[in-house]
């Protein structure tokens, strides 16, 4: 294939490729990016497809996650398109409003990956749950009379089994969740900002502005300017346990995190099961009033529970961002298949940096609840509070309980 | 000032200066000039994002102008300030001599102190402008950058609009301590810089420390990659690898043994908890 043919082929397919990225994966691409991609062909060796891919990745992607998606799509689209092969199915479900695609993921796979809330799917950490006398979770195991399916056996054998799934639906109680979020934002106050900004009054003289103003009055500082510390808008770091054992609570707490993000400006949301995923960009991408729909979350939803490993990963990822103005909320039942030592390490690291570290557990609302789960017991010394989150009422009571704790 | 060479030639030029750039990074840097767009480099701390800008400036033979971002950085601190003390002296001197104070003279280039951004657009030849750790700056400053990066001109109220003499090659770095706006991301090319592979890191160590023994370089690289697999709070970056290797060279070691490990581990691990976690693992690896 000669050079002009390659250029022609690439240029001809470029708009389709950009549209595919936009519609299948939500890339924010417009004519400007496509024009840049065409111009980039003049700056790279177009006979080297790796170089073309590197150049277009730099133009089209804006995050490492998008970069990985881009690579997979580029390989699937161009390697086969140039040889007249049919395109591969999209990596993610279609976003609403997009045109129908040629192929979609097999229905069976999607259903298997879907998060279900039946008690059967809450058995991932059942051995530990059995050791919790007096807890609802301890009685929420699989029905012993029901026949064990292959899925149940897999879930019992492997912490990774049964993982994945999409999250859809907006609960009827979103308004109270929004109210709870608003109250929480108002209740959490983590002091004043460190930096000084111009204020009408303050403790420190703003010498620069005062002297500058003095230049207008022949060098006499007639008007004094002041610097003060504004109130800190707390930054919320929400870590949601999306494992099977959380059942319906995971859905409700995810909606609470979503409500918090609608209410406050600085909110980071992560979900974990056996792996950790950052949900913030996906939640931010939702339009007001749009149903909360998250595509396949893979190992971060509906699988087993690795609290310690994921909290350590979180502490590492968020290391530079967690400060005295950060309120860390861990939303988990504490039923873990990992090492409690890792939980201890991660919580110690997070709580040393954060202004507030709170564990919200759906189990903590059960009468006579004892925090004896290994993960919770390991985390307890580093927590400012361990509070229940079994219902919307619990979430509404959160500010009051935080105040009293 | 030279033009940015082709991606492969650029990669070779970087290598000659001790920087092992991936093909993807070389291509992205090539596009900085071809498309005239800024490049946003993201990645873990210590993977060489800042160093990439320094090396690019060295390759192009052009000055590097660096703006270190921090919380509270405002546009004025990044662009220009008036030398108030000199202005006041000028006023006092004029008063003493019974002269009129001319506003135009008071707000002239003589009293203007150029900060990095204004410096960068005032250069006769395009410099490399490094806007380091842009995620540490506030939203307001980010919004200001959008305007500057789009128009390449700034307005100083007392002087008027200053248009860029030459358009700098702009590199922004971020450690993702704050999510940058989509608007800024869309105006930039994007490259994620990951920790190098074992082979690439070995190449970096040998390129930066030509005198190091092959055995020691390999042992240090292996040990660092072992460390990165552990759940450390602060995994070592490439800079730490080089520090460690250099410390061992300075101590005249040609291989990593238990004694050398215990003596120099502080150059690569900076937290007590990380040290406690990693030391037994590394000792086991070194003893084999």
């Amino acid at each position: 294939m000669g050079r002009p043919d390659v250029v022609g082929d690439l240029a001809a397919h470029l708009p389709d490729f950009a549209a595919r990225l936009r519609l299948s994966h939500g890339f924010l691409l417009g004519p400007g990016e496509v024009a840049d991609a065409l111009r980039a062909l003049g700056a790279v060796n177009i006979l080297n497809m790796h170089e073309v891919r590197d150049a277009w990745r730099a133009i089209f992607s804006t995050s490492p996650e998008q970069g990985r998606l881009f690579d997979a799509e580029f390989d699937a689209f161009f390697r086969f398109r140039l040889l007249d092969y049919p395109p591969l199915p999209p990596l993610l479900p279609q976003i609403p409003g997009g045109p129908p695609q040629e192929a979609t993921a097999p229905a069976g796979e999607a259903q298997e990956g879907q998060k279900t809330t039946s008690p059967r799917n809450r058995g991932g950490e059942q051995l530990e749950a059995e050791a919790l006398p007096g807890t609802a979770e301890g009685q929420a195991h699989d029905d012993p009379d029901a026949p064990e399916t292959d899925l149940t056996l897999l879930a019992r054998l492997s912490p990774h089994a049964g993982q994945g799934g999409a999250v859809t639906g907006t609960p009827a109680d979103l308004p109270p969740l929004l109210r709870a979020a608003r109250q929480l934002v108002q209740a959490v106050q983590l002091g004043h900002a460190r930096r000084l900004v111009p204020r009408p009054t303050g403790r420190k003289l703003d010498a620069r502005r005062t002297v500058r103003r003095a230049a207008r009055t022949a060098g006499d500082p007639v008007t004094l300017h002041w610097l003060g510390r504004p109130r800190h808008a707390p930054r919320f770091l929400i870590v949601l346990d999306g494992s099977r054992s959380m059942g319906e609570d995971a859905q409700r707490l995810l909606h609470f995190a979503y409500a918090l993000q609608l209410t406050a400006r600085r909110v980071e949301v992560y979900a974990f099961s056996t792996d950790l995923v950052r949900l913030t960009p996906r939640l931010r991408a939702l339009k007001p009033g749009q149903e909360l729909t998250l595509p396949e979350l893979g190992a971060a939803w509906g699988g087993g529970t690795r609290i310690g490993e994921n909290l350590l990963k979180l502490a590492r990822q968020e290391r530079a961002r967690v400060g005295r103005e950060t309120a860390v909320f861990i939303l988990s039942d504490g039923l873990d298949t990992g090492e409690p030592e890792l939980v201890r390490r991660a919580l110690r690291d997070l709580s040393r940096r954060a202004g507030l570290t709170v564990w919200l557990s759906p189990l903590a609302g059960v009468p006579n609840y004892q925090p004896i789960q290994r993960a919770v017991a390991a985390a307890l010394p580093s927590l400012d509070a361990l509070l229940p989150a079994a219902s919307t009422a619990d979430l509404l009571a959160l500010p009051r309980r935080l105040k009293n704790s | 000032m030279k033009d940015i060479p082709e991606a492969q030639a650029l990669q070779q030029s970087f290598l000659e200066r001790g920087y092992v750039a991936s093909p993807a990074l070389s291509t992205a840097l090539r596009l900085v000039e071809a498309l005239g767009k800024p490049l946003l480099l993201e990645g873990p701390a210590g993977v060489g994002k800042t160093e990439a800008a320094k090396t690019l400036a060295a390759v192009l033979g052009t000055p590097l102008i660096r703006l270190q971002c921090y919380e509270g950085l405002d546009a004025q601190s990044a662009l220009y300030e008036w030398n108030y003390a000199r202005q006041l002296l000028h006023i006092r001197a004029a008063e003493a001599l019974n002269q009129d104070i001319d506003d135009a003279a008071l707000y002239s280039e003589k009293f203007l102190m150029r900060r990095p951004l204004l410096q960068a657009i005032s250069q006769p030849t395009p410099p490399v402008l490094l806007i380091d750790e842009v995620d540490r700056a506030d939203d307001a400053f980010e919004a200001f950058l959008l305007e500057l990066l789009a128009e390449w001109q700034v307005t100083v109220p007392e002087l008027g609009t200053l248009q860029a003499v030459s358009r700098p090659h702009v590199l922004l770095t971020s450690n993702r301590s704050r999510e940058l706006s989509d608007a800024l991301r869309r105006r930039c090319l994007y490259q994620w810089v990951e920790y190098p592979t074992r082979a690439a890191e070995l190449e970096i160590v040998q390129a930066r420390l030509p005198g190091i023994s092959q055995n020691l370089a390999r042992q240090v690289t292996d040990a660092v990659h072992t460390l990165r697999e552990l759940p450390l709070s602060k995994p070592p970056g490439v800079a730490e690898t080089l520090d460690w290797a250099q410390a061992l060279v300075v101590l005249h070691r040609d291989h990593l043994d238990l004694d050398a490990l215990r003596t120099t581990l502080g150059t690569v691990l900076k937290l007590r908890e990380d040290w406690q976690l990693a030391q037994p693992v590394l000792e086991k690896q070194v003893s084999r």
Side-chain angles (χ1 to χ4, degrees):
Chain A
M1 188 181 286
R3 183 184 171 95
D5 291 334
V6 175
V7 175
D9 279 338
L10 286 171
H13 291 302
L14 181 58
D16 287 344
F17 177 57
R20 185 176 178 84
L21 291 174
R22 189 169 55 238
L23 296 171
S24 297
H25 305 296
F27 280 49
L28 294 172
L29 301 180
E33 281 75 18
V34 175
D36 283 344
L38 280 173
R39 285 169 59 207
L41 290 178
V44 299
N45 175 10
I46 54 161
L47 296 179
N48 182 344
M49 284 301 274
H50 292 294
E51 210 169 306
V52 174
R53 185 176 66 179
D54 288 341
W56 284 4
R57 189 198 308 109
I59 294 167
F60 285 156
S61 68
T62 58
S63 68
E65 296 80 18
Q66 283 196 347
R68 281 191 289 274
L69 281 171
F70 174 89
D71 283 351
E73 276 294 351
F74 183 92
D75 288 346
F77 191 92
F78 282 104
R79 184 176 297 166
F80 297 112
R81 185 59 64 104
L82 291 176
L83 297 172
D84 287 334
Y85 273 69
L88 293 181
L91 297 179
L92 292 176
Q94 300 299 293
I95 59 169
Q101 293 291 310
E102 302 87 339
T104 54
E109 275 181 36
Q111 282 166 5
E112 189 178 330
Q114 287 267 328
K115 177 166 177 60
T116 58
T117 54
S118 69
R120 180 173 305 284
N121 276 359
R122 297 169 63 113
E125 292 76 30
Q126 62 179 352
L127 288 178
E128 189 162 356
E130 278 167 1
L132 297 174
T135 66
E137 195 62 27
Q139 296 149 12
H141 303 317
D142 301 351
D143 179 1
D145 298 328
E148 284 196 335
T149 63
D150 291 345
L151 188 62
T152 311
L153 285 172
L154 270 175
R156 285 186 174 179
L157 288 170
S158 163
H160 302 279
Q163 64 192 16
V167 180
T168 55
T170 301
D173 59 347
L174 189 59
L177 286 178
L178 279 168
R179 198 165 68 244
R182 204 162 41 244
Q183 287 174 2
L184 181 64
V185 171
Q186 286 167 356
V188 177
Q189 293 179 346
L190 298 176
H192 292 268
R194 271 190 309 168
R195 74 188 166 102
L196 294 164
V197 297
R199 309 274 288 179
T201 56
R203 290 188 173 182
K204 191 171 178 188
L205 187 69
D206 186 348
R208 193 172 78 179
R209 283 181 176 77
T210 303
V211 171
R212 189 173 185 197
R213 189 66 184 267
R216 297 184 191 173
T217 50
D220 291 326
V222 175
T223 312
L224 298 181
H225 292 257
W226 298 96
L227 293 170
R229 300 180 194 277
R231 289 302 293 266
H232 245 321
R235 177 175 181 269
F236 289 91
L237 177 58
I238 313 288
V239 201
L240 171 62
D241 181 350
S243 65
R244 281 187 303 270
S245 65
M246 286 286 286
E248 288 175 359
D249 294 319
Q251 288 273 6
R252 187 180 52 261
L253 291 174
L254 175 63
H255 283 99
F256 177 59
Y258 177 50
L260 205 52
Q261 190 168 56
L262 291 174
T263 310
R265 199 170 135 263
R266 297 195 298 167
V267 180
E268 283 289 340
V269 185
Y270 285 81
F272 71 87
S273 178
T274 51
D275 198 6
L276 182 78
V277 70
R278 184 163 170 259
L279 297 183
T280 315
R282 303 179 194 207
L283 294 178
R284 278 194 195 141
L286 295 170
K287 293 175 185 143
Q290 186 182 340
E291 188 180 63
L292 175 53
T293 305
L294 299 177
E296 174 70 39
L297 294 179
W301 198 265
T305 320
R306 298 277 187 202
I307 300 180
E309 287 170 22
N310 288 306
L311 287 184
L312 263 181
K313 198 187 284 185
L314 174 87
R316 191 187 298 174
Q317 280 186 22
E318 287 282 325
R319 186 174 185 79
R321 285 176 265 199
V322 174
R324 303 315 296 172
E325 79 286 3
T326 308
V328 180
F329 283 82
I330 297 155
L331 282 49
S332 170
D333 53 14
L335 303 179
D336 192 11
T337 54
E339 284 300 315
E341 178 54 32
L342 295 181
V343 180
R344 185 176 293 113
R345 252 177 75 80
L347 258 295
R348 197 173 52 198
D349 194 13
L350 278 171
S351 67
R352 271 182 191 168
R353 295 167 179 284
L356 181 72
T357 313
V358 179
W359 189 304
L360 300 182
S361 168
L363 300 183
V366 175
N368 302 324
Y369 167 75
Q370 296 291 320
I372 57 170
Q373 299 97 320
R374 292 185 306 159
V376 178
L380 217 46
S382 305
L383 295 177
D384 292 305
L386 170 65
L387 296 172
S391 64
T392 308
D394 281 342
L395 297 174
L396 281 165
L398 202 53
R400 182 170 41 81
R401 285 175 170 152
L402 267 177
K403 205 173 173 183
N404 296 335
S405 63
Chain B
M1 220 292 294
K2 306 171 218 166
D3 288 340
I4 297 184
E6 296 286 330
Q8 284 188 350
L10 189 67
Q11 200 174 1
Q12 185 57 35
S13 300
F14 268 57
L15 188 60
E16 285 163 10
R17 285 161 181 81
Y19 190 102
V20 181
S22 67
L25 178 59
S26 317
T27 306
L29 289 169
R30 169 82 184 95
L31 292 182
V32 169
E33 188 211 27
L35 303 183
K37 294 184 83 170
L39 172 62
L40 171 62
L41 294 173
E42 276 195 328
V47 292
K49 302 186 290 293
T50 304
E51 200 60 32
K54 289 182 186 170
T55 312
L56 180 66
V59 167
L60 299 179
T62 190
L64 172 79
I65 297 176
R66 178 175 178 171
L67 172 67
Q68 175 65 49
C69 296
Y70 54 87
E71 189 185 343
L73 173 68
D74 58 7
Q76 192 161 22
S77 310
L79 270 176
Y80 70 93
E81 278 184 286
W82 291 106
N83 192 334
Y84 307 117
R86 280 193 74 182
Q87 282 176 324
L88 279 177
L89 280 173
H90 183 77
I91 292 168
R92 295 286 190 205
E95 281 176 349
L97 296 170
N98 255 346
Q99 291 175 345
D100 288 338
I101 301 165
D102 184 2
D103 268 4
L106 201 57
Y107 291 103
S108 64
E109 295 254 351
K110 185 176 160 189
F111 298 105
L112 187 69
M113 294 194 293
R114 292 169 189 272
R115 297 301 184 207
L117 295 181
L118 191 55
Q119 263 183 38
I121 64 169
S122 308
Q123 300 289 316
T125 54
V128 172
L129 171 62
L130 168 64
I131 302 176
D132 214 2
E133 300 188 339
V134 65
D135 50 325
R136 291 190 185 277
D138 305 318
D139 294 343
F141 184 73
E142 194 184 312
F144 159 75
L145 274 184
L146 292 180
E147 186 191 349
L148 178 76
L149 297 178
E151 305 298 333
W152 293 111
Q153 64 179 32
V154 292
T155 303
V156 179
E158 298 85 353
L159 291 180
T161 301
L162 304 175
Q163 185 71 40
V165 179
S166 61
R167 185 173 288 194
H169 304 301
V170 184
L171 268 67
L172 300 98
T173 72
S174 162
N175 291 326
R176 303 190 99 187
S177 65
R178 175 175 68 81
E179 193 62 31
L180 300 175
S181 70
D182 284 339
L184 181 65
R185 286 178 182 277
R186 282 196 66 192
R187 280 164 177 78
C188 298
L189 302 168
Y190 179 79
Q191 184 61 46
W192 174 260
V193 187
E194 191 49 273
Y195 289 119
T197 61
R198 201 176 290 248
E201 191 149 16
L202 181 60
E203 206 179 340
I204 293 169
V205 172
Q206 288 173 330
R208 285 298 181 91
L209 303 166
I212 194 169
S213 82
Q214 175 90 5
N215 185 31
L216 180 61
R218 189 182 45 74
Q219 277 188 307
V220 168
T221 310
D222 287 348
V224 168
H225 277 257
T226 303
L227 287 174
R228 289 196 191 125
E229 286 164 13
L230 296 175
L232 299 178
S233 297
K234 190 184 176 307
V238 180
E240 276 86 11
T241 311
L242 290 169
D243 284 348
W244 196 10
Q246 191 161 22
L248 290 162
V249 169
V250 168
L251 295 172
H252 306 293
R253 304 279 183 169
D254 61 356
H255 71 284
L256 190 61
D257 55 21
L258 281 178
D259 180 46
L261 176 72
R262 287 170 189 156
T263 318
T264 57
L265 195 56
T267 55
V268 74
L269 293 179
K270 315 290 173 68
L271 289 170
R272 185 168 162 266
E273 293 86 356
D274 285 353
W275 191 312
Q276 286 171 339
L277 182 73
Q279 193 169 359
V281 180
L282 287 186
E283 285 183 359
K284 198 173 168 188
Q285 181 172 330
V286 168
S287 307
R288 272 189 300 210

